[in-house]
Amino acid sequence: MVTEQYDVDEARPRGVRLPRRERRAQLLSSALEVFVAHGYHAAAMDDIAERAGVSKPVLYQHFPGKLELYIAILDAACDAIIANCRKALESTDDNKQRVAAAIDAFYGYVAHDTGAFRIVFESDLTNEPAVRGHVDRVTTECADMIAAVIHDDTGLPDPASRLLAVSLVGMAQVSARFWLTNEEGLGALTREQATALVSGLAWRGIRGYPKAEDH
């Protein structure tokens, strides 16, 4: 018989006791808010514990240090972007629509009100090897998925397909972040308008490589 584990916060006897999984999710959510607001270096474990309404011992029951907590959030954020990209590519067999859906996946992510994209794309800890590897995983895995589609459709060699895929991912990432941080300067373009502009640019380029059966 499996018994649900609970955290006990002796320093806060009036606090709500949560199953470990729920407590971990709560701590990650609170830590995300603190990291987005202050950056890694300025954020303190005390701030995170206070935001979550727990004592530091409870926080350390789940995460041995600030870096481990940060990487756990980073992993979740990277997984979300990669999953969004995979869903976009699988949503249609029409490559024009695929391009638009993939680019919109990045715009949708940066526009999310949690601000989690800052953990991935604007980290103040990018020189930390463990963090750099996680951040690079977004480009690598999204580009791998897109490269497979390009290779299958065009017959281009793997290196060429991968270079085109990385270029598309880079276009989506950089333009989405620029759009979000410069909305007023861009005349308050909506997400739909911005996605249409960038996906139109991307499609005009990538369609120059026709499907293999058209050769």
Side-chain angles (χ1 to χ4, degrees), residues 69-81:
L69 175 55
Y70 189 85
I71 288 176
I73 295 172
L74 182 61
D75 262 338
C78 292
D79 287 344
I81 300 171

Side-chain angles (χ1 to χ4, degrees), residues 105-210:
F106 284 92
Y107 275 77
Y109 190 78
V110 303
H112 198 281
D113 58 10
T114 63
F117 81 95
R118 298 188 186 280
I119 298 293
V120 181
F121 299 130
E122 298 178 4
S123 172
D124 57 350
L125 202 63
T126 53
N127 290 329
E128 170 66 41
V131 172
R132 184 73 258 165
H134 286 76
V135 172
D136 289 344
R137 183 165 68 88
V138 172
T139 298
T140 300
E141 295 196 22
C142 289
D144 284 348
M145 290 185 282
I146 295 171
V149 174
I150 293 173
H151 173 75
D152 290 346
D153 280 356
T154 67
L156 286 172
D158 288 337
S161 298
R162 182 168 176 75
L163 180 59
L164 290 173
V166 169
S167 299
L168 289 173
V169 171
M171 180 187 295
Q173 287 184 12
V174 174
S175 67
R177 289 162 52 202
F178 182 84
W179 163 74
L180 186 68
T181 56
N182 295 272
E183 281 185 282
E184 293 184 4
L186 293 174
L189 288 173
T190 66
R191 170 182 162 187
E192 290 75 17
Q193 291 171 327
T195 299
L197 283 170
V198 177
S199 62
L201 173 64
W203 174 245
R204 287 182 179 88
I206 200 66
R207 73 178 179 182
Y209 301 91

